[in-house]
mmCIF file of all heavy atoms in Angstrom:
data_model
loop_
_atom_site.group_PDB
_atom_site.id
_atom_site.type_symbol
_atom_site.label_atom_id
_atom_site.label_comp_id
_atom_site.label_asym_id
_atom_site.label_seq_id
_atom_site.Cartn_x
_atom_site.Cartn_y
_atom_site.Cartn_z
ATOM 1 N N PHE A 63 -66.902 85.205 -11.478
ATOM 2 C CA PHE A 63 -67.086 86.705 -11.641
ATOM 3 C C PHE A 63 -67.163 86.990 -13.089
ATOM 4 O O PHE A 63 -66.443 86.480 -13.952
ATOM 5 C CB PHE A 63 -65.873 87.422 -11.062
ATOM 6 C CG PHE A 63 -65.596 87.029 -9.619
ATOM 7 C CD1 PHE A 63 -64.797 85.939 -9.283
ATOM 8 C CD2 PHE A 63 -66.102 87.820 -8.612
ATOM 9 C CE1 PHE A 63 -64.557 85.621 -7.984
ATOM 10 C CE2 PHE A 63 -65.822 87.462 -7.235
ATOM 11 C CZ PHE A 63 -65.117 86.414 -7.005
ATOM 12 N N GLN A 64 -68.067 87.997 -13.391
ATOM 13 C CA GLN A 64 -68.251 88.431 -14.843
ATOM 14 C C GLN A 64 -68.228 89.881 -14.849
ATOM 15 O O GLN A 64 -68.937 90.587 -14.042
ATOM 16 C CB GLN A 64 -69.467 87.843 -15.436
ATOM 17 C CG GLN A 64 -69.600 88.105 -16.882
ATOM 18 C CD GLN A 64 -70.669 87.257 -17.554
ATOM 19 O OE1 GLN A 64 -71.389 86.472 -16.886
ATOM 20 N NE2 GLN A 64 -70.684 87.317 -18.908
ATOM 21 N N PHE A 65 -67.525 90.505 -15.786
ATOM 22 C CA PHE A 65 -67.539 91.857 -16.075
ATOM 23 C C PHE A 65 -68.403 92.169 -17.269
ATOM 24 O O PHE A 65 -68.172 91.503 -18.270
ATOM 25 C CB PHE A 65 -66.130 92.369 -16.255
ATOM 26 C CG PHE A 65 -65.881 93.919 -16.105
ATOM 27 C CD1 PHE A 65 -66.836 94.691 -15.435
ATOM 28 C CD2 PHE A 65 -64.691 94.431 -16.446
ATOM 29 C CE1 PHE A 65 -66.582 96.021 -15.226
ATOM 30 C CE2 PHE A 65 -64.427 95.785 -16.285
ATOM 31 C CZ PHE A 65 -65.375 96.622 -15.622
ATOM 32 N N GLY A 66 -69.339 93.112 -17.221
ATOM 33 C CA GLY A 66 -70.173 93.283 -18.354
ATOM 34 C C GLY A 66 -69.419 93.804 -19.588
ATOM 35 O O GLY A 66 -68.355 94.425 -19.483
ATOM 36 N N ASP A 67 -70.006 93.519 -20.823
ATOM 37 C CA ASP A 67 -69.341 93.995 -22.018
ATOM 38 C C ASP A 67 -69.021 95.475 -22.083
ATOM 39 O O ASP A 67 -68.020 95.875 -22.569
ATOM 40 C CB ASP A 67 -70.283 93.649 -23.228
ATOM 41 C CG ASP A 67 -70.424 92.109 -23.435
ATOM 42 O OD1 ASP A 67 -69.566 91.353 -22.940
ATOM 43 O OD2 ASP A 67 -71.364 91.702 -24.109
ATOM 44 N N ALA A 68 -69.969 96.288 -21.487
ATOM 45 C CA ALA A 68 -69.736 97.731 -21.538
ATOM 46 C C ALA A 68 -68.891 98.240 -20.346
ATOM 47 O O ALA A 68 -68.784 99.412 -20.194
ATOM 48 C CB ALA A 68 -71.077 98.463 -21.539
ATOM 49 N N ARG A 69 -68.498 97.366 -19.481
ATOM 50 C CA ARG A 69 -67.719 97.629 -18.281
ATOM 51 C C ARG A 69 -68.502 98.598 -17.306
ATOM 52 O O ARG A 69 -67.836 99.462 -16.689
ATOM 53 C CB ARG A 69 -66.382 98.207 -18.633
ATOM 54 C CG ARG A 69 -65.394 97.179 -19.260
ATOM 55 C CD ARG A 69 -64.004 97.759 -19.522
ATOM 56 N NE ARG A 69 -63.998 98.608 -20.655
ATOM 57 C CZ ARG A 69 -63.462 99.887 -20.562
ATOM 58 N NH1 ARG A 69 -62.860 100.247 -19.444
ATOM 59 N NH2 ARG A 69 -63.426 100.584 -21.576
ATOM 60 N N LYS A 70 -69.797 98.336 -17.237
ATOM 61 C CA LYS A 70 -70.663 99.155 -16.328
ATOM 62 C C LYS A 70 -71.192 98.307 -15.197
ATOM 63 O O LYS A 70 -71.715 98.798 -14.253
ATOM 64 C CB LYS A 70 -71.762 99.815 -17.060
ATOM 65 C CG LYS A 70 -71.369 100.897 -18.070
ATOM 66 C CD LYS A 70 -72.593 101.502 -18.652
ATOM 67 C CE LYS A 70 -72.254 102.574 -19.650
ATOM 68 N NZ LYS A 70 -73.502 103.213 -20.292
ATOM 69 N N ASP A 71 -71.127 96.960 -15.356
ATOM 70 C CA ASP A 71 -71.747 96.100 -14.376
ATOM 71 C C ASP A 71 -70.989 94.828 -14.193
ATOM 72 O O ASP A 71 -70.206 94.456 -15.080
ATOM 73 C CB ASP A 71 -73.229 95.812 -14.746
ATOM 74 C CG ASP A 71 -73.306 95.250 -16.214
ATOM 75 O OD1 ASP A 71 -73.140 93.978 -16.318
ATOM 76 O OD2 ASP A 71 -73.479 96.014 -17.117
ATOM 77 N N SER A 72 -71.283 94.131 -13.130
ATOM 78 C CA SER A 72 -70.553 92.878 -12.833
ATOM 79 C C SER A 72 -71.435 91.904 -11.952
ATOM 80 O O SER A 72 -72.421 92.418 -11.358
ATOM 81 C CB SER A 72 -69.338 93.142 -12.092
ATOM 82 O OG SER A 72 -68.543 92.016 -11.858
ATOM 83 N N SER A 73 -71.189 90.716 -12.056
ATOM 84 C CA SER A 73 -71.886 89.740 -11.174
ATOM 85 C C SER A 73 -70.912 88.788 -10.551
ATOM 86 O O SER A 73 -69.859 88.513 -11.073
ATOM 87 C CB SER A 73 -72.962 89.004 -12.045
ATOM 88 O OG SER A 73 -72.304 88.189 -13.003
ATOM 89 N N LEU A 74 -71.396 88.229 -9.427
ATOM 90 C CA LEU A 74 -70.636 87.268 -8.716
ATOM 91 C C LEU A 74 -71.609 86.052 -8.470
ATOM 92 O O LEU A 74 -72.675 86.214 -7.901
ATOM 93 C CB LEU A 74 -70.196 87.773 -7.375
ATOM 94 C CG LEU A 74 -69.810 86.816 -6.194
ATOM 95 C CD1 LEU A 74 -68.720 85.859 -6.655
ATOM 96 C CD2 LEU A 74 -69.475 87.551 -4.942
ATOM 97 N N HIS A 75 -71.210 84.880 -8.993
ATOM 98 C CA HIS A 75 -72.058 83.713 -8.791
ATOM 99 C C HIS A 75 -71.276 82.725 -7.928
ATOM 100 O O HIS A 75 -70.159 82.436 -8.215
ATOM 101 C CB HIS A 75 -72.339 83.076 -10.139
ATOM 102 C CG HIS A 75 -73.180 81.862 -10.088
ATOM 103 N ND1 HIS A 75 -74.586 81.885 -9.974
ATOM 104 C CD2 HIS A 75 -72.812 80.526 -10.120
ATOM 105 C CE1 HIS A 75 -75.012 80.648 -9.867
ATOM 106 N NE2 HIS A 75 -74.045 79.888 -9.989
ATOM 107 N N ILE A 76 -72.034 82.228 -6.902
ATOM 108 C CA ILE A 76 -71.427 81.247 -5.970
ATOM 109 C C ILE A 76 -72.169 79.886 -6.166
ATOM 110 O O ILE A 76 -73.424 79.892 -6.069
ATOM 111 C CB ILE A 76 -71.426 81.669 -4.502
ATOM 112 C CG1 ILE A 76 -70.715 82.943 -4.365
ATOM 113 C CG2 ILE A 76 -70.817 80.564 -3.713
ATOM 114 C CD1 ILE A 76 -70.672 83.454 -2.940
ATOM 115 N N THR A 77 -71.458 78.857 -6.431
ATOM 116 C CA THR A 77 -72.085 77.541 -6.622
ATOM 117 C C THR A 77 -71.895 76.734 -5.327
ATOM 118 O O THR A 77 -70.802 76.751 -4.759
ATOM 119 C CB THR A 77 -71.297 76.779 -7.763
ATOM 120 O OG1 THR A 77 -71.437 77.564 -8.937
ATOM 121 C CG2 THR A 77 -71.990 75.388 -7.978
ATOM 122 N N ALA A 78 -73.022 76.086 -4.936
ATOM 123 C CA ALA A 78 -72.912 75.179 -3.720
ATOM 124 C C ALA A 78 -72.338 76.018 -2.493
ATOM 125 O O ALA A 78 -71.284 75.588 -1.999
ATOM 126 C CB ALA A 78 -72.129 73.908 -3.966
ATOM 127 N N ALA A 79 -73.056 77.056 -2.082
ATOM 128 C CA ALA A 79 -72.573 77.878 -1.007
ATOM 129 C C ALA A 79 -72.298 77.085 0.223
ATOM 130 O O ALA A 79 -73.005 76.078 0.536
ATOM 131 C CB ALA A 79 -73.569 78.971 -0.797
ATOM 132 N N GLN A 80 -71.278 77.522 0.983
ATOM 133 C CA GLN A 80 -70.837 76.907 2.245
ATOM 134 C C GLN A 80 -70.875 77.952 3.309
ATOM 135 O O GLN A 80 -70.750 79.142 3.010
ATOM 136 C CB GLN A 80 -69.561 76.328 2.108
ATOM 137 C CG GLN A 80 -69.387 75.286 1.036
ATOM 138 C CD GLN A 80 -67.970 74.661 0.866
ATOM 139 O OE1 GLN A 80 -67.087 75.136 1.580
ATOM 140 N NE2 GLN A 80 -67.828 73.749 -0.069
ATOM 141 N N PRO A 81 -71.117 77.558 4.614
ATOM 142 C CA PRO A 81 -71.160 78.514 5.715
ATOM 143 C C PRO A 81 -69.839 79.438 5.702
ATOM 144 O O PRO A 81 -69.966 80.603 6.103
ATOM 145 C CB PRO A 81 -71.137 77.638 6.917
ATOM 146 C CG PRO A 81 -71.884 76.421 6.486
ATOM 147 C CD PRO A 81 -71.387 76.243 5.056
ATOM 148 N N GLY A 82 -68.745 78.978 5.264
ATOM 149 C CA GLY A 82 -67.531 79.745 5.165
ATOM 150 C C GLY A 82 -67.629 80.916 4.176
ATOM 151 O O GLY A 82 -66.814 81.798 4.242
#
Side-chain angles (χ1 to χ4, degrees):
Chain A
F63 304 85
Q64 185 162 8
F65 201 12
D67 291 341
R69 289 186 288 130
K70 293 182 178 181
D71 54 85
S72 182
S73 64
L74 158 60
H75 181 80
I76 301 179
T77 303
Q80 298 177 1

